[in-house]
Amino acid sequence: MGDGDCDVKTLDGVHESETTKDVLKSKVKHCEHHGENGAIIRSTGAENGEDQNVEHVFDVSIVLPHHPYNIQVPVSLQGQIQDLRSAIVEQPGTFQYTCFHLEHSGQRINDFTDLSDVKGLAAGSKIRLIEDPYTERDARMHVVRIREIIGAAGNRVDVLNGVDAGLSLHESIAPWNGPDAGSAAKRKSAVSKSAADANPLADFKFDDLISIPTLLPRSQETTSKTIKTLGISSWNPPPPMFRQRGHLLYLQLTTNEGEQFQLTSHVSGFFVNRSSNSKFDPLPKASPKNAMAHSLLTLIQALSPSFSDAFNALLEANNKRDPLATFQLTSAIPSNPWLVSPSSFSSAAHQPDLTRTQETYLLSGAENTETLRDWNEEIQSTRELPRETVQDRVFRERLLAKIFAEFNDAAARGGALVARGEVAPLNPTESKDAQIFVYNGIFYSFGADGVGTFTSEGGDEAARIAVGKDVAGVKMVNQLDIPGLATPGTIIVDYLGKRLVAQSIVPGIFKQREPDEPQVDYGGVEGKDVVADNDAFVSTFSQVSKALKVKKHAVWDKEGKKHVLEGSVETKGLLGTDGRKYILDLYRLTPLDISWLDAYWTDGHDKKPLERNYPHRMSVLRSELIESYWRMRMSEYVKAELDKRKNGQKDVVDGDTSDQPDRESTSETADTRVDGTSDAKTNDTETAKDRGRVDISAFALSLNPDVFCGQVPQTAEEKEEWANDEREVRAVTDHLHQKIIPEFIHDLKEQEVGFPMDGQSLSRLMHKRGINVRYVGKLASLSKEGNPRLQALKRLAEQEMIARAFKHTANRYLKNLPTPMAPSCIAHLLNCLLGTRTNDSPRAQLDDDLQYLYKDADYSFADATPHGLQTDIEAQTQLRYRYTLEESWLSGIRPTQLLREIALKLGLQLVAKDYCLSSEADSRPSDLAPLTNGSAIQSSVHGHATNGVTGNGGKKKKKRNNGDSSPVSATASTILEPPHTFIPDDIVNIVPIIKDSSSKSVLAEEALEAGRISMIQNQKDLGQELLLESLSLHEQIYGILHPEVARVYHQLAMLYYTIEEKDAAVELAHKAVVISERTIGIDSDETILSYLNLSLFEHANGNTAVALACQRHALELWKIIYGPDHPDIMTTYNNAAVMLQHLKLFHESRVWFEKSHAVSEEMCGKDSISTASLAFQLAQALALDQDHKGAVNRMREAYSIFHHKLGAEDRNTKEADSWLDQLTVNAVSIAKHAKDVQAQKIRRALFTPRVTLRTQPQAPVGRSSTEGMNGRVPHSTNALDNRSIDELMKYIESSGDATRKTPTKKRKNPRSRRAGSSL
């Protein structure tokens, strides 16, 4: 429920876990037993009296001053007092407590200590809760919390969180109430009753018709109000005389009975006073309305007879919902859906709440000083906390994550205000791009070349890229976590066509120094003309350089003086006035991509040739590419040393590669082999004793980031070294073009890894491989051959380029446009791109009154035409990605998918309706018929008519004489024009796009990797313990609702599934789905994969009906973000067929097998091993559906492919041959004895899927299907039945039970069959 609000959760200024009980439950879920006094002992393999590595989680008794007087709360000595306080106030019977302290054995407990510091605390201990006197701040926080709890707080509206922010659809798809909801058997019986009658896939369509309601929340029952209003009284604040007597606030309460009460918040609690709306008398009221209580909740219960029943009904309704779906997000910015239901933003959805305008006062005080923070000091002082012990590291990383989350939130809100022009600049006389701002203690500047710094590099384009690279560089340095080196908090905010960089204010950065003193202390001062040296920065900068493979090198200033730097000349060191060493301007930590610049860039400001007109010179290589190149060179070095050893050369001194400083990496653990595989895997296959070890201390590889940047070496020796540095950088670019990109194409073509689903997953996969997005055009060019998977890659790459080109075009128009005109601009551009089927000559729909107000605005977007926009997109695609779109590209796009990509890149939230984007949409069935395009609907924003009724394209209309002088209250135009697909009111909201520099928790990642390695080494008990510890660390450090926690839930669910911990896998998978939806997106590729794997786990756990519902939802989402023909979708179709067959829906199962087989034929080829495997399964499904002739034909097809591809002696071929013989005999027998009932029984028993069919996990994007489970890549995911026909006949004759499970030995097939079906 709403009590998870961040402002409520930080009453004492300390981050509190919002689901402490859930954390404790997850820690002890799967390996716990009960000890004495009710203590729960979590241990590794604690069986038969073992007691190893135990952690006690026990109950303590909380003694309360009021009903229920005593509650039990589970605690762990590893927790903190703040966790215990949070657990207390979240109990249903203790909601009312906010201002209190705890006592144990008569001694007051410090609120900011660990539970382990409380002497004598054990299972059954009594802790007394003592109510404290209120301060004004305590009273304000108490009012905020009570309003949240009783549902009196209205809907909040802010610039950062859009409509339906943090939405989750999980409850309506696969209800889950946590581990206490009942056993798997109970859940199975609950859903099995309707499984046959309500098949979730019954009406699923395989075509490309998209169901918009898939993205919309289901309607929920509305609960009655507990009170009418609760807010600040007009008599507030207390005058001095009464403040001296302990009065803190004056409140006004209106109950459901219609009675109005004036309340006084006193240091001792709350009471009804004598005031009225016209008379002030804040003293206690006389009997019978003389109620008083320490808690406002208790007071309301006493004043309103109907409150208790209404409040209990509210609690009951909230308890039915998954807590993860209702808690407020405090550690991550919630995702904003790109389509929103009209009911979510209609006038009826916005309820009156006067106190909504008073929340700033309640949260921040009258002077608004409580929220003003020194962000930089908080960040740096937290970084300087001790890190010696594990407890120190947990506390430090937890506090860091909290501060970064709060900084990102505050910086994003301020950035949006700056972009909207609501913050005054510090230098208003400067040009707009050069203006700087300070808001809420955060420094803002535009990502544009306002002062000419990047004139020779590309101007505004270069500046925009530089600030993006700077944030990425800060993130890498933050991940290194080097003691003594400080970075400012940094994020990027893209909003309304503007890019702003927000930074915490570094002490001394605005200080004016002496004329002969440089403004920075290390690195380039004014470009590369003036360079500063400072030995104090060498030691810390050298650690960054070693970790990021940056070479210590010389640079020369404008006078030719040599300076030796540890980083790029553009990277600066500043000694702040607080004595800390800051590293700034990290946009060139890696060298330039010289191969790209040589091909597509030329210096000069005059008109450049088309083939050399790339917009900027900030094209740098990715750090992942540097790491890949480093590994390749290391592998070559090791192989060379081993060859020397084999040839009798001198033995190499034994050394440990993990101790070398060059071994550090920002993206992976240091414990990695040169070929990229785990050291644990190496130890599992061969020992160091067998092969020996190679000393790599002599190996060194680092790159000079300043080559090709205009530096001029002076001596011959310097020139030679510089030339070597240039050759090394060119070798890296050759590695990209000759190895990385071809391997990327090969892996996707040969089904080695999961195929990307949308532009975001494609970009993420490219970045992981070290490929910049600018090479997406090259990927499309290399994918033009006839292979279906490469054709899919080409289509996805083209879609991504078109969406990005549209974004750049739209940003150009939006940048200098007033905020109220942004919806008209976006709607017109969308009409020009996607709405030409409705109106091939769309006109901009402008509000004439607003246009009159903003006379000086740039309305050039109104002149855009479909042909002109198409030309702009083609030019942008050629300019930025060096790719030429085909002439008919507009007719080949998938409009819904492209609209989604554009919305995500611009932060758009559109009305959810069936937009007429293609000819197929005209006949599309829709659940949103009243909102289809071409019909006139009433505007909910300006009061204007919408589709079919527009303005006159910018011409001034006659003055409306309707008696309303408001410029935005105009009525609809009487001039009817052709309808438009998009209207301004379809643009419900525009939210900022955020890129932050927060680092991941090193401690949590280390525990997760250690757990994976232990599982690979078959150390199951240790691996489970480490994985549970990693899960606990993730939850403690990030909080429950965070993308990183969702990803670790997903990975652990896969791991538990492989070790047959099905209940644990299901629980974690449900949590992964909810958190992914709320923090990443309800239709993101990660959410779809989470749903697909949840379906797999539910089916394995016997809940097939729920599994099919998850399959249905995932497939509908898949069609929305990609289409119905994704290359990897055959695995999902196959899994659905297996599930339907499990429910004995044989005909429906056959349909899905046929679809899976058809997709395999299209994507993999008719003679592929995958197609043969699916034909084998399809033959069995046909037999079950009594199509014996079809079964024989499909089995013959499978046999022919196996025989041709694998040979006659391969076991797959032999199995297919045996099945073919038996199917043929059986078909002949049935043809002769069609009326023989016994033959039918034998036939049905013979072709049960029990021994041949199983589901398969969906391959994650960029990885194999089981790589995320155990770190190993399987030889095959296709395993045919390994039983002979005789064995099956013996089974049938002995039992006849076609559903009984019998263990079978799994056999691995050739690796080439990985992406086939899930036999």
Side-chain angles (χ1 to χ4, degrees):
M1 47 182 300
D3 58 308
D5 183 78
C6 60
D7 300 310
V8 176
K9 287 297 179 183
T10 54
L11 296 178
D12 297 300
V14 177
H15 178 62
E16 296 181 3
S17 172
E18 45 212 325
T19 52
T20 306
K21 293 184 292 182
D22 204 19
V23 171
L24 295 172
K25 287 180 181 179
S26 66
K27 290 172 67 176
V28 302
K29 170 66 182 171
H30 309 300
C31 45
E32 63 184 28
H33 65 278
H34 291 270
E36 297 181 359
N37 299 324
I40 300 175
I41 303 175
R42 180 170 71 88
S43 63
T44 301
E47 299 176 359
N48 301 323
E50 296 179 10
D51 187 20
Q52 301 173 354
N53 301 326
V54 297
E55 174 191 343
H56 289 270
V57 179
F58 52 88
D59 286 344
V60 295
S61 179
I62 307 298
V63 180
L64 306 172
H66 309 291
H67 182 80
Y69 300 108
N70 193 294
I71 60 171
Q72 300 293 316
V73 177
V75 298
S76 167
L77 290 180
Q78 294 185 354
Q80 298 176 336
I81 299 300
Q82 287 295 331
D83 296 329
L84 176 58
R85 289 179 61 96
S86 178
I88 292 173
V89 299
E90 287 169 4
Q91 297 274 3
T94 53
F95 282 143
Q96 69 268 30
Y97 298 107
T98 61
C99 186
F100 62 89
H101 70 269
L102 302 174
E103 292 184 358
H104 179 255
S105 300
Q107 298 294 320
R108 178 166 181 159
I109 302 175
N110 190 315
D111 291 338
F112 303 99
T113 60
D114 296 332
L115 284 165
S116 57
D117 296 333
V118 181
K119 296 181 179 180
L121 187 64
S125 294
K126 291 186 177 182
I127 296 179
R128 187 172 299 276
L129 186 149
I130 307 297
E131 294 174 335
D132 285 336
Y134 287 97
T135 63
E136 185 199 344
R137 180 180 183 276
D138 293 334
R140 288 189 279 106
M141 293 298 103
H142 184 81
V143 172
V144 171
R145 175 171 173 79
I146 297 304
R147 277 172 45 84
E148 291 284 348
I149 290 175
I150 65 177
N155 56 312
R156 290 189 175 91
V157 180
D158 61 52
V159 71
L160 179 60
N161 298 330
V163 181
D164 286 338
L167 175 67
S168 174
L169 304 176
H170 169 267
E171 289 180 296
S172 59
I173 307 301
W176 171 257
N177 294 318
D180 298 328
S183 64
K186 292 181 180 179
R187 297 187 64 221
K188 177 181 177 181
S189 62
V191 299
S192 61
K193 295 179 182 179
S194 59
D197 298 331
N199 170 20
L201 299 178
D203 58 346
F204 180 80
K205 305 297 182 183
F206 292 102
D207 54 31
D208 59 350
L209 294 183
I210 291 172
S211 175
I212 296 298
T214 302
L215 296 176
L216 306 182
R218 309 302 188 264
S219 59
Q220 297 179 353
E221 296 182 5
T222 58
T223 57
S224 58
K225 282 190 171 184
T226 56
I227 60 172
K228 288 187 177 180
T229 60
L230 172 63
I232 301 297
S233 169
S234 57
W235 298 113
N236 196 70
M241 179 182 68
F242 288 102
R243 182 172 295 278
Q244 294 295 326
R245 298 167 67 173
H247 291 204
L248 304 174
L249 301 172
Y250 296 134
L251 310 174
Q252 182 172 299
L253 167 70
T254 304
T255 66
N256 282 341
E257 291 79 9
E259 289 190 89
Q260 186 180 94
F261 297 92
Q262 297 286 337
L263 310 179
T264 297
S265 171
H266 191 263
V267 291
S268 62
F270 297 82
F271 60 83
V272 180
N273 63 40
R274 304 173 186 173
S275 298
S276 65
N277 290 334
S278 58
K279 176 185 176 183
F280 177 64
D281 186 356
L283 298 177
K285 195 169 187 177
S287 179
K289 299 292 185 179
N290 57 346
M292 178 176 180
H294 186 270
S295 171
L296 182 57
L297 181 65
T298 307
L299 180 62
I300 297 174
Q301 287 175 329
L303 295 176
S304 174
S306 64
F307 175 81
S308 295
D309 292 339
F311 184 53
N312 290 333
L314 176 65
L315 291 179
E316 184 177 352
N318 287 332
N319 288 335
K320 292 179 180 178
R321 301 195 61 190
D322 186 345
L324 292 179
T326 56
F327 277 131
Q328 294 278 344
L329 279 79
T330 58
S331 57
I333 294 176
S335 65
N336 296 291
W338 65 281
L339 286 179
V340 293
S341 172
S343 62
S344 299
F345 60 87
S346 65
S347 299
H350 194 61
Q351 298 297 316
D353 180 18
L354 181 62
T355 313
R356 183 166 45 214
T357 62
Q358 303 169 344
E359 282 191 343
T360 301
Y361 162 70
L362 288 172
L363 298 174
S364 307
E367 303 298 329
N368 195 26
T369 57
E370 295 179 17
T371 57
L372 297 180
R373 302 165 64 176
D374 186 341
W375 293 105
N376 189 76
E377 180 60 30
E378 288 190 44
I379 293 172
Q380 309 311 333
S381 60
T382 304
R383 281 203 180 106
E384 294 166 356
L385 289 174
R387 60 178 87 180
E388 284 74 21
T389 66
V390 173
Q391 289 80 6
D392 289 341
R393 294 180 65 186
V394 170
F395 179 77
R396 177 178 177 272
E397 293 190 5
R398 177 181 179 179
L399 197 55
L400 269 177
K402 169 185 177 291
I403 290 175
F404 272 118
E406 293 171 349
F407 172 79
N408 294 342
D409 183 89
R413 294 178 188 276
L417 293 176
V418 172
R420 295 168 70 95
E422 298 181 22
V423 179
L426 297 180
N427 52 343
T429 59
E430 301 286 343
S431 65
K432 188 173 182 179
D433 288 341
Q435 289 177 350
I436 58 177
F437 308 82
V438 172
Y439 181 80
N440 196 15
I442 300 173
F443 173 74
Y444 295 92
S445 60
F446 288 106
D449 191 24
V451 294
T453 304
F454 297 95
T455 301
S456 62
E457 308 291 329
D460 287 346
E461 288 280 358
R464 184 181 181 93
I465 297 299
V467 295
K469 299 295 182 184
D470 182 40
V471 170
V474 172
K475 190 167 190 171
M476 285 192 290
V477 174
N478 285 343
Q479 193 66 45
L480 296 176
D481 201 11
I482 297 173
L485 186 63
T487 57
T490 310
I491 74 162
I492 280 178
V493 181
D494 288 326
Y495 187 56
L496 297 175
K498 307 173 185 68
R499 168 165 287 190
L500 291 112
V501 56
Q503 294 178 306
S504 60
I505 301 175
V506 176
I509 196 169
F510 295 126
K511 179 183 177 181
Q512 290 296 327
R513 304 196 180 190
E514 297 297 329
D516 58 343
E517 186 181 4
Q519 285 297 111
V520 298
D521 299 288
Y522 191 77
V525 180
E526 301 173 2
K528 54 181 178 290
D529 293 338
V530 179
V531 182
D533 292 318
N534 192 325
D535 293 338
F537 286 85
V538 173
S539 60
T540 52
F541 273 49
S542 64
Q543 296 180 61
V544 176
S545 299
K546 289 179 181 179
L548 301 180
K549 315 294 186 298
V550 176
K551 181 179 180 180
K552 183 177 181 179
H553 62 282
V555 296
W556 297 264
D557 58 23
K558 62 182 179 181
E559 298 178 355
K561 182 180 178 181
K562 179 180 178 179
H563 304 265
V564 178
L565 298 179
E566 286 287 351
S568 167
V569 68
E570 303 291 350
T571 302
K572 301 172 178 57
L574 176 69
L575 187 62
T577 55
D578 57 356
R580 297 186 178 100
K581 300 169 188 173
Y582 291 87
I583 184 170
L584 307 172
D585 292 350
L586 300 172
Y587 52 83
R588 232 179 54 207
L589 291 176
T590 55
L592 294 174
D593 185 354
I594 189 58
S595 64
W596 182 272
L597 294 177
D598 282 347
Y600 306 121
W601 166 268
T602 184
D603 293 323
H605 305 291
D606 298 331
K607 188 174 181 179
K608 300 179 181 180
L610 292 178
E611 65 275 8
R612 303 289 296 278
N613 64 341
Y614 194 66
H616 61 83
R617 200 175 184 273
M618 296 302 298
S619 305
V620 298
L621 301 172
R622 291 195 62 84
S623 59
E624 295 91 343
L625 176 65
I626 307 300
E627 183 67 21
S628 173
Y629 180 73
W630 186 93
R631 289 178 177 175
M632 184 196 71
R633 290 291 303 274
M634 169 62 76
S635 179
E636 293 175 352
Y637 175 82
V638 171
K639 290 177 181 178
E641 292 299 312
L642 291 175
D643 289 341
K644 289 180 182 179
R645 182 175 301 175
K646 290 180 181 178
N647 295 332
Q649 297 293 332
K650 180 180 179 180
D651 290 341
V652 181
V653 179
D654 186 30
D656 188 352
T657 61
S658 62
D659 292 335
Q660 302 303 322
D662 278 345
R663 200 67 186 90
E664 296 180 20
S665 168
T666 62
S667 59
E668 299 185 18
T669 57
D671 194 13
T672 308
R673 227 174 53 174
V674 295
D675 59 358
T677 59
S678 168
D679 274 333
K681 187 173 180 180
T682 306
N683 295 334
D684 194 33
T685 56
E686 54 186 341
T687 63
K689 187 175 182 180
D690 296 329
R691 294 186 56 187
R693 292 189 177 183
V694 175
D695 181 10
I696 64 168
S697 60
F699 174 79
L701 173 66
S702 54
L703 302 175
N704 185 344
D706 288 324
V707 294
F708 309 111
C709 293
Q711 292 291 331
V712 183
Q714 302 298 310
T715 66
E717 182 180 354
E718 293 170 351
K719 292 179 180 179
E720 181 180 359
E721 183 179 2
W722 202 260
N724 291 334
D725 292 345
E726 291 180 343
R727 281 192 292 271
E728 194 72 69
V729 171
R730 290 190 181 276
V732 178
T733 62
D734 292 341
H735 177 67
L736 171 66
H737 291 277
Q738 298 172 10
K739 182 177 175 61
I740 299 299
I741 292 179
E743 283 185 356
F744 181 89
I745 297 290
H746 174 270
D747 289 348
L748 290 177
K749 176 183 177 181
E750 300 299 329
Q751 311 171 48
E752 296 289 334
V753 296
F755 200 88
M757 297 184 187
D758 60 356
Q760 287 183 325
S761 57
L762 174 62
S763 302
R764 189 167 60 248
L765 179 56
M766 291 175 64
H767 289 164
K768 185 177 180 181
R769 295 291 186 99
I771 306 172
N772 299 85
V773 172
R774 60 177 170 271
Y775 285 104
V776 69
K778 182 170 184 176
L779 296 181
S781 299
L782 295 175
S783 304
K784 288 185 176 181
E785 61 176 80
N787 183 278
R789 290 179 67 88
L790 293 186
Q791 286 295 311
L793 176 61
K794 173 178 173 290
R795 187 195 66 77
L796 189 59
E798 287 182 345
Q799 176 179 286
E800 179 68 3
M801 287 186 284
I802 293 169
R804 287 175 177 264
F806 182 92
K807 179 190 72 173
H808 288 291
T809 302
N811 283 341
R812 186 176 74 245
Y813 290 123
L814 290 170
K815 183 177 181 181
N816 299 312
L817 197 65
T819 301
M821 304 304 293
S824 297
C825 174
I826 294 170
H828 180 60
L829 295 178
L830 289 176
N831 281 324
C832 291
L833 178 65
L834 299 174
T836 53
R837 293 188 184 274
T838 301
N839 186 342
D840 59 1
S841 299
R843 302 182 66 180
Q845 303 162 75
L846 299 175
D847 187 302
D848 297 319
D849 292 320
L850 289 177
Q851 193 174 4
Y852 179 78
L853 287 175
Y854 297 102
K855 296 179 181 179
D856 299 330
D858 180 7
Y859 296 104
S860 58
F861 74 88
D863 299 327
T865 63
H867 180 267
L869 180 60
Q870 182 178 348
T871 303
D872 283 345
I873 290 176
E874 292 170 354
Q876 288 289 330
T877 303
Q878 175 62 37
L879 175 68
R880 298 178 184 279
Y881 310 109
R882 300 296 146 174
Y883 185 79
T884 302
L885 293 169
E886 299 174 357
E887 292 185 2
S888 60
W889 65 268
L890 192 58
S891 61
I893 63 174
R894 296 186 174 182
T896 302
Q897 288 76 20
L898 180 59
L899 177 61
R900 174 181 177 271
E901 293 289 351
I902 290 172
L904 293 178
K905 287 173 172 53
L906 290 175
L908 306 181
Q909 289 192 291
L910 309 175
V911 176
K913 62 183 182 181
D914 284 326
Y915 293 98
C916 186
L917 304 177
S918 63
S919 57
E920 292 82 358
D922 297 338
S923 59
R924 173 183 305 165
S926 174
D927 295 334
L928 303 175
L931 292 176
T932 53
N933 291 279
S935 61
I937 63 176
Q938 186 65 29
S939 167
S940 61
V941 180
H942 300 304
H944 295 187
T946 52
N947 293 356
V949 184
T950 66
N952 59 2
K955 297 180 181 179
K956 183 67 179 174
K957 295 200 294 274
K958 293 181 179 180
K959 187 69 178 179
R960 289 180 276 275
N961 186 18
N962 57 359
D964 188 350
S965 61
S966 172
V968 294
S969 63
T971 58
S973 169
T974 59
I975 302 176
L976 292 179
E977 294 185 359
H980 292 79
T981 299
F982 298 93
I983 59 174
D985 286 345
D986 287 337
I987 315 300
V988 177
N989 190 29
I990 305 176
V991 296
I993 305 298
I994 312 301
K995 297 179 182 178
D996 64 70
S997 59
S998 307
S999 58
K1000 293 183 180 180
S1001 166
V1002 177
L1003 183 61
E1005 293 296 323
E1006 287 175 352
L1008 181 62
E1009 184 64 20
R1012 285 201 197 106
I1013 292 173
S1014 298
M1015 298 299 289
I1016 293 172
Q1017 295 175 332
N1018 203 28
Q1019 300 179 20
K1020 181 178 177 180
D1021 293 339
L1022 177 60
Q1024 283 185 277
E1025 175 68 21
L1026 289 171
L1027 292 175
L1028 282 172
E1029 191 62 35
S1030 171
L1031 176 59
S1032 176
L1033 289 172
H1034 274 87
E1035 292 174 337
Q1036 289 182 60
I1037 291 170
Y1038 295 114
I1040 303 294
L1041 298 174
H1042 192 278
E1044 291 301 321
V1045 177
R1047 295 181 180 110
V1048 77
Y1049 277 148
H1050 179 82
Q1051 296 178 51
L1052 292 182
M1054 296 291 290
L1055 285 165
Y1056 277 120
Y1057 175 72
T1058 60
I1059 61 176
E1060 300 298 324
E1061 292 279 359
K1062 296 178 182 178
D1063 288 337
V1066 167
E1067 179 185 345
L1068 292 173
H1070 275 282
K1071 293 181 178 181
V1073 166
V1074 177
I1075 302 174
S1076 295
E1077 285 183 322
R1078 301 196 64 195
T1079 60
I1080 305 174
I1082 58 173
D1083 60 348
S1084 69
D1085 64 297
E1086 294 183 59
T1087 299
I1088 292 176
L1089 287 172
S1090 295
Y1091 265 113
L1092 290 174
N1093 286 328
L1094 172 59
S1095 171
L1096 181 73
F1097 306 153
E1098 286 283 18
H1099 171 66
N1101 216 24
N1103 305 316
T1104 303
V1106 174
L1108 288 173
C1110 295
Q1111 288 270 351
R1112 171 68 179 264
H1113 185 67
L1115 288 170
E1116 295 288 3
L1117 291 177
W1118 216 333
K1119 288 201 294 184
I1120 291 173
I1121 76 169
Y1122 181 90
D1125 55 349
H1126 190 274
D1128 290 343
I1129 206 168
M1130 59 186 175
T1131 301
T1132 302
Y1133 287 162
N1134 192 75
N1135 288 344
V1138 173
M1139 295 175 188
L1140 289 169
Q1141 208 167 69
H1142 178 79
L1143 295 178
K1144 302 189 184 303
L1145 300 175
F1146 297 122
H1147 179 71
E1148 292 82 354
S1149 173
R1150 164 188 175 167
V1151 173
W1152 285 81
F1153 273 125
E1154 288 175 337
K1155 186 61 178 178
S1156 178
H1157 180 261
V1159 174
S1160 181
E1161 284 186 329
E1162 180 183 356
M1163 290 295 168
C1164 305
K1166 293 186 177 181
D1167 59 346
S1168 67
I1169 299 296
S1170 297
T1171 302
S1173 301
L1174 288 169
F1176 188 98
Q1177 291 188 86
L1178 179 56
Q1180 297 174 325
L1182 292 170
L1184 285 169
D1185 199 32
Q1186 303 185 32
D1187 185 355
H1188 309 289
K1189 182 178 179 181
V1192 171
N1193 292 336
R1194 289 303 184 187
M1195 191 60 72
R1196 183 180 292 112
E1197 175 187 317
Y1199 169 75
S1200 299
I1201 298 174
F1202 285 147
H1203 188 275
H1204 176 70
K1205 293 284 188 179
L1206 305 177
E1209 298 303 318
D1210 185 83
R1211 185 169 182 179
N1212 294 317
T1213 308
K1214 293 180 178 179
E1215 289 174 355
D1217 188 28
S1218 297
W1219 278 95
L1220 179 60
D1221 290 343
Q1222 186 62 33
L1223 284 171
T1224 304
V1225 172
N1226 197 59
V1228 172
S1229 175
I1230 292 174
K1232 291 180 179 180
H1233 308 284
K1235 296 182 180 181
D1236 191 334
V1237 178
Q1238 185 63 26
Q1240 293 180 6
K1241 292 181 178 179
I1242 294 177
R1243 182 187 70 242
R1244 281 198 174 273
L1246 176 59
F1247 299 111
T1248 174
R1250 174 190 58 84
V1251 292
T1252 60
L1253 304 176
R1254 68 169 181 266
T1255 53
Q1256 171 192 346
Q1258 184 70 44
V1261 174
R1263 293 189 295 171
S1264 64
S1265 60
T1266 56
E1267 185 179 349
M1269 293 189 287
N1270 54 16
R1272 299 175 185 268
V1273 178
H1275 292 290
S1276 174
T1277 55
N1278 303 318
L1280 301 182
D1281 185 10
N1282 62 351
R1283 292 188 173 198
S1284 66
I1285 299 300
D1286 293 338
E1287 291 174 328
L1288 293 176
M1289 291 300 296
K1290 289 180 180 179
Y1291 165 77
I1292 295 165
E1293 293 170 357
S1294 63
S1295 66
D1297 183 1
T1299 61
R1300 189 181 68 182
K1301 295 185 178 180
T1302 304
T1304 59
K1305 182 179 179 181
K1306 297 180 182 179
R1307 185 180 54 76
K1308 294 181 179 179
N1309 284 327
R1311 189 167 182 255
S1312 61
R1313 298 174 58 191
R1314 173 179 299 106
S1317 65
S1318 50
L1319 280 169

